[in-house]
Amino acid sequence: EYIKAKNLIEHINDLIKNDSDKLVFGDNEIKIELKLKTLKTILISEKQNSLIQEIKLINDYKCEIVIIPEDLSMMCNIIGIKWESMTY
C-alpha cells in the first residue's frame, strides 16, 4: 500500500503539470464527483478519519480509496483522480 500510495502521488504530480483537469480537489468537490461516479481513485490523508468514513459511505460504485500515510506529503488532505486519467 505504501508503494502504491507513493506511485499515485507521483502520478498526481505529473497530472498537475500536464493534465490538471483530470484532478479534483477539496471535500465538497470530491463528494459531488463521487456521487456522479466520475472518480476512479481518491487519495485521502490518514489523518482525516471522519472524512474517510463519509467518503466510504458515499462510495457506491467501488471507487478506489487509497489512504495516504502521514509521512507521504500531499498538497491537500483529499484528491480525486477521474477515470480517463489512470494510466500509471
Side-chain angles (χ1 to χ4, degrees):
E1 281 294 311
Y2 186 88
I3 292 171
K4 181 177 190 170
K6 190 172 181 177
N7 288 340
L8 282 169
I9 290 172
E10 289 175 16
H11 179 62
I12 286 171
N13 289 333
D14 289 340
L15 287 173
I16 288 170
K17 295 174 192 168
N18 302 314
D19 206 1
S20 62
D21 62 324
K22 307 291 191 215
L23 298 174
V24 181
F25 297 94
D27 304 6
N28 292 331
E29 290 77 9
I30 296 285
K31 292 173 194 173
I32 291 167
E33 296 294 331
L34 190 58
K35 289 175 184 175
L36 293 172
K37 299 178 175 34
T38 61
L39 297 177
K40 168 91 170 130
T41 305
I42 296 172
L43 288 80
I44 186 166
S45 169
E46 69 180 357
K47 298 181 285 186
Q48 302 296 312
N49 290 325
S50 61
L51 184 57
I52 291 169
Q53 295 310 313
E54 188 177 355
I55 293 296
K56 285 181 178 180
L57 287 174
I58 297 170
N59 183 15
D60 63 354
Y61 68 98
K62 305 292 185 206
C63 175
E64 181 180 26
I65 298 171
V66 178
I67 309 301
I68 303 297
E70 275 190 64
D71 60 328
L72 283 179
S73 176
M74 284 198 330
M75 70 224 42
C76 61
N77 291 323
I78 186 167
I79 302 170
I81 304 175
K82 294 183 180 182
W83 281 100
E84 61 273 10
S85 64
M86 297 301 290
T87 58
Y88 61 92

